[in-house]
Amino acid sequence: MQKIQELQKRLYNLLLNPHIRDWERHLLKTTKDSLNERNLNEQLTKLEAELRPLALRNNLTPDVADFYQELTGNQVKHSTKRTHLITDPVHQQRAVFAGGCFWCMVEPFETRPGIISVLSGYTGGTIENPSYDQVSSGNTGHVEAVEIIFDTKLVSYQELLDLYWQLIDPTDAAGQFQDRGNQYRPIIFVSDEQQENLAQKTKQAVIDSGKYKKPILTEIKALETFWPAENYHQQFYQKQPKRYKAIKRVRQQFLAYQRLRGKLRSVAQKIRRQFR
């Protein structure tokens, strides 16, 4: 009886979620209304079978995707939303970067010394508390981004900026790598004048390096409200390592090729200057 009550409560909370799709809502409501002690296993088996085709294609809305993992006996790691807080205002700061899909922006920062927490989310748009589906449409103005809380005693904002420029294609304002769309454009969001000055200096350094033939299009904008993404998207590299590694490989191959072209371009420029 307790198991049914817990499950009905879980289903009820999902039904209250405004961001799940109508057909998901229909399946969940049908299951909730049909549950009893005698048909529990039958109803759960039926629900799992109905959700499976979309789950295998990674096409469930995030919270339903988490529920499906629980339904199939997989442990769901919950996000850092509740612990993603500045606890020492004197020595802790925030940095917010957008650089394509946020799945690939977490690990490079989170694994560095001095990083306290990294949260995936959405910012820069026109509606409050957007869902992944809404942002993915490209119509809300939001970008996928990461908010980083870091310890200034161990790592500086300058060091985070230096890492950021290594992770993106700064010449592409229509997306990043295989991720296309307005929601994937690269932006540095700054929270104060000091961050803005440092960001502008690093951008100018990239321009002056001569490594890129195309213009540097990465924006620098004032930080707006940062909306945390659904639990499914948090620490994605830990939850789905195989899928993450495949996506990461594509980015790394492109960046390696771009860096090689940049080096060749720099060498060519030096040779031309010698013969002037």
Side-chain angles (χ1 to χ4, degrees):
M1 187 66 177
Q2 183 178 357
K3 185 175 181 180
I4 291 179
Q5 290 176 341
E6 290 175 356
L7 181 58
Q8 286 180 326
K9 182 179 179 181
R10 183 81 169 88
L11 291 169
Y12 179 74
N13 287 332
L14 280 172
L15 291 170
L16 292 177
N17 187 332
H19 298 316
I20 68 172
R21 302 181 186 121
D22 289 342
W23 64 270
E24 292 173 323
R25 192 181 308 279
H26 171 73
L27 293 178
L28 296 172
K29 187 177 187 306
T30 299
T31 301
K32 177 180 177 296
D33 293 344
S34 304
L35 277 180
N36 59 57
E37 288 187 43
R38 286 182 290 182
N39 70 3
L40 176 61
N41 291 334
E42 177 187 345
Q43 288 295 324
L44 293 183
T45 299
K46 180 182 177 183
L47 179 60
E48 188 277 327
E50 290 171 325
L51 293 175
R52 189 189 311 149
L54 277 299
L56 292 175
R57 295 201 293 270
N58 299 297
N59 200 26
L60 294 172
T61 50
D63 289 341
V64 177
D66 275 351
F67 175 72
Y68 181 81
Q69 291 297 312
E70 296 172 0
L71 197 62
T72 53
N74 295 309
Q75 184 176 4
V76 175
K77 180 179 178 180
H78 290 282
S79 74
T80 58
K81 290 182 186 179
R82 293 182 179 178
T83 58
H84 184 78
L85 300 168
I86 288 181
T87 56
D88 181 2
V90 176
H91 298 114
Q92 294 176 8
Q93 291 184 16
R94 297 180 193 271
V96 177
F97 301 120
C101 176
F102 47 27
W103 291 347
C104 291
M105 290 291 288
V106 175
E107 183 204 17
F109 289 104
E110 192 168 69
T111 52
R112 286 182 66 91
I115 302 301
I116 296 167
S117 178
V118 181
L119 195 67
S120 296
Y122 318 109
T123 189
T126 57
I127 65 174
E128 295 187 356
N129 195 27
S131 69
Y132 181 74
D133 278 359
Q134 289 172 321
V135 175
S136 295
S137 73
N139 297 322
T140 68
H142 292 88
V143 290
E144 292 191 11
V146 289
E147 183 180 71
I148 303 159
I149 297 178
F150 62 100
D151 187 335
T152 57
K153 301 190 303 297
L154 300 175
V155 63
S156 67
Y157 185 66
Q158 176 70 55
E159 290 175 297
L160 299 185
L161 285 168
D162 292 342
L163 175 57
Y164 172 76
W165 290 108
Q166 297 174 37
L167 300 174
I168 66 164
D169 175 5
T171 68
D172 189 354
Q176 288 288 285
F177 314 105
Q178 71 269 41
D179 298 306
R180 313 312 302 160
N182 196 48
Q183 68 273 26
Y184 296 119
R185 66 193 190 277
I187 306 175
I188 300 172
F189 290 94
V190 295
S191 58
D192 55 36
E193 186 176 355
Q194 182 181 18
Q195 285 194 355
E196 182 176 8
N197 290 338
L198 286 171
Q200 294 288 1
K201 286 180 181 178
T202 58
K203 180 176 179 178
Q204 190 60 48
V206 172
I207 295 171
D208 295 341
S209 71
K211 293 180 179 179
Y212 299 94
K213 186 177 181 179
K214 297 178 181 179
I216 302 303
L217 301 177
T218 300
E219 299 177 68
I220 298 172
K221 299 177 66 174
L223 178 61
E224 301 178 36
T225 302
F226 184 89
W227 302 100
E230 298 87 339
N231 180 71
Y232 175 82
H233 297 295
Q234 306 299 338
Q235 284 73 46
F236 186 84
Y237 75 98
Q238 294 178 342
K239 294 176 179 177
Q240 297 202 36
K242 290 184 179 179
R243 190 177 173 197
Y244 168 70
K245 287 177 182 177
I247 300 170
K248 179 181 178 182
R249 190 179 305 115
V250 174
R251 293 173 67 111
Q252 288 180 324
Q253 288 172 346
F254 179 89
L255 288 171
Y257 172 70
Q258 192 177 60
R259 281 192 286 267
L260 177 60
R261 288 185 62 183
K263 288 179 181 178
L264 294 175
R265 181 176 169 81
S266 297
V267 171
Q269 289 175 337
K270 288 180 181 178
I271 293 173
R272 283 196 293 268
R273 285 196 292 267
Q274 289 176 355
F275 288 93
R276 285 177 182 173

